[in-house]
């Protein structure tokens, strides 16, 4: 028997003040969304987005304000020491058992450069993340950890831990990274792309022995008219159309705004599902579920979330399988 996918609300700290985002996620729960996930940035992708609240403070409030399970996408190793992330994961896991997971990735310079440390090349970031995963897992298991490598840990021990460690999920957008995540992750999360690409990423993870659930973050723009949906997507998300390594290596919102000055609405529509037609959105989301994604998190890329939440709660969620 097929199990129905879980449909969640993506909480975009880069775009929305945390107080408004808390209202949005509680509204999403009331509208029928069954889960939520959160970004974790120090900087937005554009000055037009204009926010970047601290995810971990907000997550405690959001878990208390709702009954939803929550995840966060985090990059340990530079801005965050892995022992601190283990402590944050452990505390939320202890306070809200079974409701929290963390996806771990290699990060972006726009968030990590603030430490003043050199932004390493990709291979080094990947190796550093692998060390961080091992440190976090060992701490959540109750071990005392000392480690000397790309990260340094001295006799760290978590005194507050959940009975069951929260899942550590791999974040990947390429086949190669998905295959690598299968070595260590409790699941995989990626972002919407052409169906062929998503199928290849999902298959790479599964064929390499990857365990746990497959999750997908879907960028979309919906409004009452096509013109408005296109305008919202272009205004808010045109700085987010660049594939790696550009999106990894640019280090300020101002730089993203300069390089995206000439990006056309049609280019944005290649990475954001843009339509005023709720049935069209439901059909696209059902296609993702048919690929095997078991958790699908919807991210309306506009800063005003209420109309999206209400419309998708009333008209789209009931059409989803």
């Amino acid at each position: 028997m097929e199990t129905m996918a879980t449909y969640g609300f993506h909480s975009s700290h880069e775009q929305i003040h945390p107080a408004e985002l808390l209202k949005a996620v509680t509204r999403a729960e009331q509208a029928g969304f069954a889960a939520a996930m959160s970004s974790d940035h120090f900087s937005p992708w554009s000055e037009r987005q204009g926010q970047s609240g601290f995810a971990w403070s907000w997550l405690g409030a959001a878990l208390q304000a709702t009954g939803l399970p929550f995840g966060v996408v985090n990059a340990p190793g530079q801005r965050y020491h892995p022992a601190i992330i283990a402590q944050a994961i452990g505390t939320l896991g202890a306070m809200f058992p079974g409701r929290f997971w963390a996806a771990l990735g290699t990060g972006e310079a726009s968030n990590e450069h603030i430490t003043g440390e050199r932004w390493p090349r990709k291979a080094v970031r990947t190796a550093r993340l692998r060390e961080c995963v091992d440190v976090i897992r060992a701490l959540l298991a109750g071990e005392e950890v000392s480690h000397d490598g790309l990260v340094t840990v001295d006799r760290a021990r978590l005194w507050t831990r959940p009975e069951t460690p929260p899942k550590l999920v791999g974040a990947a957008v390429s086949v190669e990274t998905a295959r690598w995540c299968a070595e260590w992750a409790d699941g995989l999360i990626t972002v919407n792309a052409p169906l062929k690409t998503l199928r290849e990423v999902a298959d790479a993870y599964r064929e390499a022995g990857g365990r746990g659930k497959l999750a997908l973050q879907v960028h979309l723009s919906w409004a009452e008219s096509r013109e408005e949906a296109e305008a919202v997507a272009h205004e808010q998300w045109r700085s987010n159309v660049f594939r790696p390594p550009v999106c990894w290596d640019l280090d300020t919102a101002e730089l993203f705004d300069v390089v995206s000055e000439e990006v056309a609405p049609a280019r944005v529509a290649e990475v954001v599902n843009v339509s005023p037609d709720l049935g069209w959105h439901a059909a696209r989301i059902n296609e993702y579920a048919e690929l095997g994604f078991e958790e699908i998190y919807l991210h309306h890329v506009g800063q005003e979330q209420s109309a999206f939440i209400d419309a998708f709660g009333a008209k789209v969620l009931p059409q989803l399988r």
Side-chain angles (χ1 to χ4, degrees):
M1 188 178 80
E2 280 190 30
T3 53
M4 183 169 166
T6 298
Y7 298 97
F9 173 80
H10 174 69
S11 309
S12 180
H13 285 282
E14 310 93 285
Q15 299 176 273
I16 302 163
H17 187 285
E20 291 303 312
L21 202 53
L22 191 61
K23 293 176 188 173
V25 78
T26 54
R27 186 173 187 138
E29 181 182 36
Q30 293 160 4
F33 288 83
M37 65 171 283
S38 167
S39 59
D40 180 3
H41 285 246
F42 195 86
S43 170
W45 300 96
S46 164
E47 288 192 327
R48 293 181 304 278
Q49 292 176 351
Q51 296 289 337
S52 229
F54 184 55
W56 295 91
S57 305
W58 184 87
L59 281 162
L63 280 154
Q64 179 64 29
T66 71
L68 299 174
F70 268 84
V72 67
V73 182
N74 175 263
Q78 186 157 329
R79 175 171 47 125
Y80 290 117
H81 192 280
I84 297 301
I85 291 306
Q87 186 183 30
I89 291 170
T91 297
L92 289 177
M95 292 180 70
F96 306 100
R99 288 178 54 201
F100 182 68
W101 54 269
L104 303 177
T106 53
E108 296 105 5
S110 60
N111 301 307
E112 310 304 323
H113 78 90
I114 60 163
T115 64
E117 295 175 37
R118 179 173 168 269
W119 177 236
R121 62 187 178 275
K122 176 63 172 171
V124 176
R125 302 199 303 272
T126 299
R128 181 174 69 182
L129 174 59
R130 191 68 181 83
E131 290 184 20
C132 288
V133 169
D134 290 343
V135 167
I136 293 167
R137 277 208 194 284
L139 287 168
L140 289 171
E143 299 173 25
E144 180 181 281
V145 177
S146 294
H147 179 82
D148 296 286
L150 292 168
V151 291
T152 302
V153 186
D154 178 44
R155 293 166 295 172
R157 176 182 168 190
L158 285 188
W159 293 85
T160 298
R161 296 183 296 113
E163 287 186 18
T164 302
K167 291 191 181 335
L168 302 182
V169 173
V173 295
S174 72
V175 164
E176 294 74 25
T177 303
R179 196 174 289 126
W180 174 75
C181 286
E183 299 172 13
W184 60 265
D186 298 320
L188 188 80
I189 188 165
T190 188
V191 296
N192 61 308
L195 294 179
K196 178 177 180 288
T197 302
L198 291 176
R199 185 179 293 109
E200 289 170 352
V201 168
D203 288 350
Y205 181 71
R206 290 296 191 214
E207 289 166 6
R211 62 184 183 270
K213 292 185 176 180
L214 292 172
L216 178 68
Q217 180 188 352
V218 177
H219 302 305
L220 64 94
S221 181
W222 171 82
E224 294 288 351
S225 70
R226 173 165 294 280
E227 292 73 25
E228 186 183 355
E230 289 175 347
V232 166
H234 188 250
E235 196 267 343
Q236 279 294 295
W237 215 247
R238 69 176 179 267
S239 53
N240 294 62
V241 302
F242 304 105
R243 61 183 176 83
V246 174
C247 57
W248 294 336
D249 292 344
L250 288 185
D251 57 12
T252 67
E254 293 83 357
L255 275 175
F256 276 100
D257 282 338
V258 169
V259 300
S260 62
E261 280 176 357
E262 304 301 322
V263 170
R267 176 73 182 91
V268 181
E270 293 174 14
V271 298
V272 178
N273 292 350
V274 181
S275 178
D277 183 343
L278 293 169
W280 183 90
H281 282 287
R284 298 292 78 69
I285 297 163
N286 277 324
E287 287 178 336
Y288 301 138
E290 287 164 6
L291 289 177
F293 288 97
E294 296 146 281
E295 296 181 1
I296 298 175
Y297 295 90
L298 306 183
H299 172 210
H300 171 54
V301 299
Q303 290 177 305
E304 164 51 48
Q305 294 286 306
S306 296
F308 151 70
I309 290 167
D310 293 348
F312 274 62
K315 302 287 180 64
V316 175
L317 295 182
Q319 297 185 58
L320 301 181
R321 296 190 284 276

